[in-house]
Amino acid sequence: MAMGGLISNRNLASFIASGNGFHNQRGIHGVEISNRVIFPNALCRNHHHQPRKLLSLQASLHRELVRRTSFGCFLQPGNLEHHHSIRFKKNTSRPYYKSSEESDITEEVVDSLSSSSADGSAEAVLVQGNLQSPWWQRFPRRWVIVLLCFASFLLCNMDRVNMSIAILPMSQQYNWNSATVGLIQSSFFWGYLLTQILGGIWADKFGGKVVLGFGVVWWSIATVMTPIAAKLGLPFLLVVRAFMGIGEGVAMPAMNNMLSKWIPVSERSRSLALVYSGMYLGSVTGLGFSPMLINKFGWPSVFYSFGSLGSIWFLLWLKYAYSSPKDDPDLSEEEKKIILGGSKPREPVTVIPWKLILSKPPVWALIISHFCHNWGTFILLTWMPTYYNQVLKFNLTESGLLCVLPWFTMAVLANVGGWIADTLVSRGLSITSVRKIMQSIGFLGPAFFLTQLSRVKTPAMAVLCMACSQGADAFSQSGLYSNHQDIGPRYAGVLLGLSNTAGVLAGVFGTAATGYILQRGSWDDVFKVAVGLYLIGTLVWNLFATGERVLD
């Protein structure tokens, strides 16, 4: 018969419940103990003289309790510091037992409990053999890094897109035309371009923690300085916007460097998708809150409030972030094995093999595809509020709120795409095939929906097309944006710096060219250029990209 049937659980529970403090049937640290749970391994003062059968019974009872509750228990004379205890009073009730042999054993256990508790010398102490720490202490350290990077990218786009809303009242106040607005919007990319490759080199040499922390502090200060620079004059504003670009330029290479060390390949797509969705949610937050702040407090309030948030993030970053797993003293050995997968961590890069890197066709596939992708993305990022205001005739508040929908769609679908990509990899599909599928969706989806904008009749349909275009674009996070770590994890920061330099050039030329096109053409012309580049990117990517490591 099973051990649970040897002793009446109800009677034994009533026996135990006769002690003080046990009527609520709640165990140590708030763990529920039902009336079917029994306390085995009763060791009294004379436990050295107990018969062998009794010890065997105690062992069996102990295994049963551990199976049910993951807790063990033993009776020990005296007090034990730092443990909760349960004292027992003498109980006149007798447990039900099955046989005379078993009753002798069981009765001896119960009598031992009763006699020992008579003088208060016996004490029940829970052994925390399998007791787990709180969930926040067991939360994987690698995902703490991912969430901090997510937060930095949230701030990154909040501080970037606020200008696309604030530029409307600013242009009215300072009498800027479309060409001047395009110049101001593109000035951000002057600084952004400078630190792409440098940020990758610094991150690969000195670690992502230092570089990303520097970037957030730098661009937060520049954000706060923007209203002051605008009052001083256009040249000062252009310089401050370029300075802001310098800070944000190191963010992506530094993040890519850190995640290449912290995240195993089986979690790569969804971790990157989560981090990049921070950018999209940053756009949602910035575009959603900026109109309200402008209407209530004036346009300078957007820059002051958003810029100050960087200081909070920086304090958390200093406390919890580490450039690599080997630097984290709190990282468990189990998680370290998951991250490293049996391989030893590499030493930081000292020399960048530029000739080798630039000789690889997959590297050029990344560079060209990144340029094609960012042309369309940055046009939507910087010019959509103006499009909604001038073409769809929405006011300032409506322009900001409706711009939220495409970016929110990107945030959701980026994570969906990441989970799909990692699932496909885990089921045996090659990384190369996964990257090509996801990036093809990221190119052809936006191309299709942008071609529909000239055919829609209502503003609602135009917003829907924008949302679908951006949603499909988000699959790129599991395509080209994950590919740097695939082909050269040790040089992930430099590779992203290289390809994103091309992407920044697309932002500089695309943003400025859009203002030029709008003075002489229409929005249809703007979208046609973007669609053409999406198609070129699709062709290059599928011909030359790979998911295999080509740089060691």
Side-chain angles (χ1 to χ4, degrees):
M1 181 177 292
M3 292 305 304
L6 268 175
I7 304 173
S8 170
N9 292 332
R10 181 174 301 174
N11 290 337
L12 185 56
S14 65
F15 166 78
I16 294 173
S18 64
N20 293 333
F22 215 75
H23 298 286
N24 291 331
Q25 299 179 12
R26 183 171 295 275
I28 304 306
H29 304 301
V31 178
E32 290 289 338
I33 302 177
S34 71
N35 64 358
R36 294 185 60 82
V37 176
I38 50 180
F39 282 73
N41 205 16
L43 303 181
C44 303
R45 290 180 182 271
N46 61 342
H47 67 275
H48 294 293
H49 306 291
Q50 292 176 4
R52 184 175 302 173
K53 290 182 180 179
L54 175 58
L55 296 177
S56 176
L57 174 62
Q58 291 167 355
S60 299
L61 288 171
H62 178 74
R63 287 193 297 270
E64 174 68 7
L65 182 61
V66 169
R67 183 185 69 81
R68 294 190 184 191
T69 65
S70 297
F71 287 89
C73 177
F74 64 92
L75 289 176
Q76 178 175 312
N79 295 324
L80 187 65
E81 292 183 356
H82 307 301
H83 284 274
H84 297 276
S85 63
I86 304 166
R87 297 186 180 276
F88 298 103
K89 294 180 179 179
K90 186 172 182 179
N91 195 311
T92 58
S93 63
R94 289 287 185 186
Y96 169 80
Y97 43 85
K98 183 65 179 173
S99 65
S100 59
E101 182 181 59
E102 292 166 349
S103 73
D104 292 337
I105 298 173
T106 308
E107 188 174 55
E108 184 176 346
V109 174
V110 175
D111 288 340
S112 297
L113 281 168
S114 302
S115 62
S116 298
S117 63
D119 61 357
S121 62
E123 186 171 45
V125 183
L126 289 184
V127 179
Q128 302 183 17
N130 291 331
L131 185 62
Q132 292 180 325
S133 56
W135 68 267
W136 59 86
Q137 295 181 8
R138 291 180 282 113
F139 190 78
R141 298 288 295 181
R142 63 189 184 279
W143 284 93
V144 172
I145 300 297
V146 170
L147 290 177
L148 286 171
C149 289
F150 165 88
S152 70
F153 276 46
L154 180 81
L155 295 177
C156 178
N157 262 33
M158 283 178 62
D159 292 341
R160 187 188 302 183
V161 303
N162 56 14
M163 177 59 83
S164 65
I165 296 292
I167 199 71
L168 298 174
M170 291 173 73
S171 60
Q172 294 176 357
Q173 179 176 338
Y174 296 111
N175 297 316
W176 295 330
N177 58 29
S178 295
T180 303
V181 169
L183 183 65
I184 294 170
Q185 298 278 41
S186 65
S187 63
F188 166 86
F189 297 105
W190 303 345
Y192 196 68
L193 177 64
L194 290 176
T195 51
Q196 288 299 309
I197 297 176
L198 285 176
I201 294 172
W202 293 338
D204 288 343
K205 286 188 174 183
F206 307 117
K209 178 179 180 177
V210 175
V211 178
L212 185 54
F214 156 79
V216 174
V217 171
W218 186 278
W219 86 58
S220 297
I221 293 173
T223 301
V224 173
M225 293 293 295
T226 299
I228 301 172
K231 292 178 181 179
L232 293 175
L234 181 61
F236 293 96
L237 179 60
L238 295 177
V239 170
V240 168
R241 293 296 292 175
F243 268 55
M244 181 179 173
I246 288 174
E248 294 203 2
V250 303
M252 289 177 65
M255 176 279 301
N256 215 40
N257 170 276
M258 290 193 68
L259 264 58
S260 69
K261 297 176 180 177
W262 275 95
I263 303 298
V265 66
S266 60
E267 299 174 357
R268 181 169 295 162
S269 294
R270 61 180 179 266
S271 64
L272 284 168
L274 179 61
V275 171
Y276 283 114
S277 68
M279 296 181 68
Y280 309 143
L281 290 176
S283 296
V284 170
T285 306
L287 294 170
F289 281 95
S290 292
M292 292 185 285
L293 290 171
I294 290 172
N295 288 333
K296 191 166 185 178
F297 302 107
W299 63 263
S301 64
V302 174
F303 300 99
Y304 295 140
S305 58
F306 286 8
S308 62
L309 295 175
S311 59
I312 300 174
W313 176 91
F314 185 65
L315 293 176
L316 295 173
W317 184 250
L318 288 178
K319 184 175 181 180
Y320 295 109
Y322 295 90
S323 292
S324 70
K326 66 182 180 65
D327 298 330
D328 190 346
D330 298 324
L331 184 66
S332 66
E333 288 299 321
E334 180 182 356
E335 186 173 5
K336 188 177 292 185
K337 290 178 181 178
I338 295 174
I339 294 170
L340 299 177
S343 62
K344 295 182 179 179
R346 297 286 189 93
E347 292 299 319
V349 173
T350 55
V351 178
I352 308 297
W354 291 109
K355 186 175 180 180
L356 176 64
I357 290 174
L358 296 176
S359 68
K360 302 294 184 180
V363 173
W364 286 102
L366 271 174
I367 294 171
I368 295 171
S369 298
H370 211 145
F371 180 92
C372 296
H373 171 267
N374 276 27
W375 184 283
T377 299
F378 279 121
I379 288 174
L380 296 177
L381 177 66
T382 55
W383 282 97
M384 273 308 96
T386 304
Y387 173 79
Y388 287 150
N389 181 256
Q390 294 181 356
V391 178
L392 303 183
K393 306 303 180 184
F394 296 143
N395 60 35
L396 175 64
T397 302
E398 290 172 333
S399 296
L401 293 178
L402 287 171
C403 281
V404 164
L405 182 59
W407 295 108
F408 182 77
T409 305
M410 290 186 81
V412 173
L413 291 185
N415 288 284
V416 171
W419 281 97
I420 292 173
D422 282 344
T423 300
L424 292 175
V425 171
S426 66
R427 293 187 177 181
L429 191 62
S430 71
I431 297 176
T432 299
S433 298
V434 172
R435 298 293 178 244
K436 288 185 176 181
I437 291 170
M438 305 306 282
Q439 189 55 49
S440 294
I441 296 173
F443 277 144
L444 297 178
F448 171 77
F449 288 108
L450 287 181
T451 59
Q452 304 305 306
L453 278 174
S454 60
R455 303 178 183 179
V456 298
K457 305 297 183 182
T458 63
M461 288 302 297
V463 172
L464 181 61
C465 281
M466 286 291 180
C468 291
S469 173
Q470 293 291 82
D473 179 277
F475 281 77
S476 299
Q477 311 311 327
S478 302
L480 74 88
Y481 282 96
S482 297
N483 195 232
H484 308 84
Q485 297 180 30
D486 295 329
I487 66 174
R490 198 173 180 212
Y491 305 101
V494 170
L495 288 172
L496 192 135
L498 267 176
S499 71
N500 208 37
T501 296
V504 174
L505 288 173
V508 172
F509 296 141
T511 304
T514 298
Y516 180 83
I517 293 171
L518 289 176
Q519 283 190 321
R520 292 162 176 78
S522 66
W523 279 98
D524 286 343
D525 298 323
V526 172
F527 296 140
K528 285 177 183 177
V529 174
V531 169
L533 289 171
Y534 279 138
L535 296 177
I536 294 172
T538 305
L539 181 64
V540 171
W541 183 257
N542 283 281
L543 285 176
F544 301 107
T546 181
E548 304 302 320
R549 183 177 299 187
V550 298
L551 298 168
D552 197 2

